[in-house]
Amino acid sequence: SEEQRRMVEFAIVANPDPADIAALPGLTWIHSLWAGVERLVLELGEKAPPIVRLKDPELSRVMAEAVLAWTYYLQRDMPAYRDNQQKALWQELDYRHPGEMTIGLLGLGALGVAAAERLLHAGFNVTGWSRSSKAIEGVETLTGDDGLQGLLEKSDILVCLVPLTDATRGLVNASRLAAMKNGAAIINFARGAVIVADHLIAALDSGKLSHAVLDVFEQEPLPAASPFWQHPKVAVLPHISAPTSRESSARIVAGNVRTWRETGTLPETVDMARGY
Ligand code: NAP
């Protein structure tokens, strides 16, 4: 009822219809169970109550595991061996040592840093890019347009882990793809719109890129008519690289709510102007 809606002080949400949030006039804050909050930021705008996004070590661990798993998929040439099997072709491909490969991470936040550590431990060279400068032992860290250019030029695999904001929408476009190594691959575990889909398909078709692992899309579920489904150089995943764990997220949210009730303080909230 209207009365009940007015009494709601805070909302715990996954990927809500922002209109449902806007219908709660007494909200003092929102706790997102998702790490990505671009839809809330875009649709609620400046008037929105503070948004706390999920920061969960278990989520970071699961994402780092996914990054390592799909990096191995590419490093060990699993797509090529699958194709060869279909042709009954017994053919050994050159082994690539992790130490001969550079993984470029777009985004060095909660998830990017965990992925970087996992990749380093597995023996890959890791270069990362973020908005503000970082120091992470063993990782080359870059910022700005020049930094991005440098990362693209040296990456054998580009891994997207930046939030979707005005600044990152369409970040990976034709000219950025053209700057990459011939035969490089892309893993997108961030948001679909960070990569321009048509430009990615063109880069795969021309042979510029060897493969793309895509977990996120501009429209989800991915429509049946999308060329990604049938593309021989694309692995389509249904947004499963890092699902929120019910147990750990419930513990973290409950802890944040308890602290707020006891002390009135919130964890770090989303910077609405920055968009993440
Ligand atoms: P985070 O802690 O906020 O980190 C974001 C990183 O991206 C930071 O290093 C940030 O730089 C960098 N960044 C943001 N805008 C940038 C820009 N314009 N230029 C350069 N770097 C920029 O976020 P997170 O927890 O790591 O999560 C990242 C994203 O992963 C989420 O937003 C979500 O979209 C996605 N995600 C996907 C799944 C899935 O299942 N596929 C699951 C969870 C999350 P600074 O360090 O300088 O701030």
Side-chain angles (χ1 to χ4, degrees):
S1 71
E2 188 63 23
E3 170 76 27
Q4 284 169 319
R5 273 201 289 274
R6 252 199 312 277
M7 279 162 53
V8 175
E9 288 179 284
F10 67 94
I12 301 168
V13 302
N15 188 34
D17 182 343
D20 290 340
I21 300 291
L24 303 171
L27 268 192
T28 51
W29 61 294
I30 299 170
H31 205 313
S32 172
L33 290 171
W34 279 21
V37 291
E38 70 283 348
R39 194 160 161 237
L40 288 170
V41 169
L42 190 73
E43 296 189 28
L44 295 180
E46 305 274 297
K47 317 180 300 286
I51 301 170
V52 175
R53 51 177 217 105
L54 184 66
K55 257 184 124 171
D56 178 354
E58 174 59 10
L59 182 72
S60 301
R61 188 197 66 75
V62 173
M63 179 58 92
E65 178 184 82
V67 170
L68 183 63
W70 292 93
T71 295
Y72 276 150
Y73 173 80
L74 297 166
Q75 177 240 346
R76 295 305 300 254
D77 287 315
M78 292 193 211
Y81 285 120
R82 182 202 55 202
D83 291 350
N84 287 353
Q85 180 175 349
Q86 260 145 25
K87 294 180 241 160
L89 179 61
W90 182 275
Q91 184 189 60
E92 188 178 331
L93 301 172
D94 286 340
Y95 171 74
R96 288 189 293 174
H97 193 282
E100 296 162 5
M101 295 178 69
T102 296
I103 316 302
L105 295 173
L106 298 183
L108 289 171
L111 305 183
V113 168
E117 285 166 356
R118 211 61 209 272
L119 291 166
L120 275 183
H121 184 249
F124 292 95
N125 300 296
V126 182
T127 297
W129 183 73
S130 53
R131 211 174 43 86
S132 58
S133 61
K134 307 266 144 157
I136 305 164
E137 200 176 331
V139 178
E140 180 189 32
T141 53
L142 302 170
T143 59
D145 287 343
D146 292 349
L148 178 57
Q149 183 71 18
L151 179 143
L152 295 170
E153 285 169 7
K154 69 174 61 165
S155 297
D156 296 287
I157 301 174
L158 180 71
V159 181
C160 297
L161 283 173
V162 279
L164 179 60
T165 67
D166 289 345
T168 63
R169 186 176 295 277
L171 178 72
V172 181
N173 58 18
S175 66
R176 303 252 163 67
L177 292 167
M180 292 181 68
K181 276 186 174 177
N182 291 331
I186 288 194
I187 297 175
N188 189 5
F189 287 164
R191 287 293 181 260
V194 170
I195 300 180
V196 182
D198 293 348
H199 297 181
L200 174 61
I201 288 175
L204 291 164
D205 288 344
S206 73
K208 173 73 190 175
L209 292 184
S210 57
H211 207 81
V213 176
L214 306 176
D215 184 47
V216 285
F217 302 90
E218 282 192 66
Q219 199 187 330
E220 295 179 5
L222 184 64
S226 166
F228 285 134
W229 282 116
Q230 305 301 334
H231 202 290
K233 293 179 174 176
V234 174
V236 170
L237 302 171
H239 202 137
I240 47 72
S241 56
T244 295
S245 151
R246 279 168 193 254
E247 291 73 21
S248 66
S249 65
R251 248 191 327 270
I252 287 165
V253 172
N256 289 341
V257 170
R258 196 177 308 116
T259 304
W260 171 67
R261 287 220 191 278
E262 286 168 7
T263 69
T265 56
L266 291 180
E268 189 191 1
T269 59
V270 172
D271 178 335
M272 297 301 271
R274 210 174 59 167
Y276 71 101

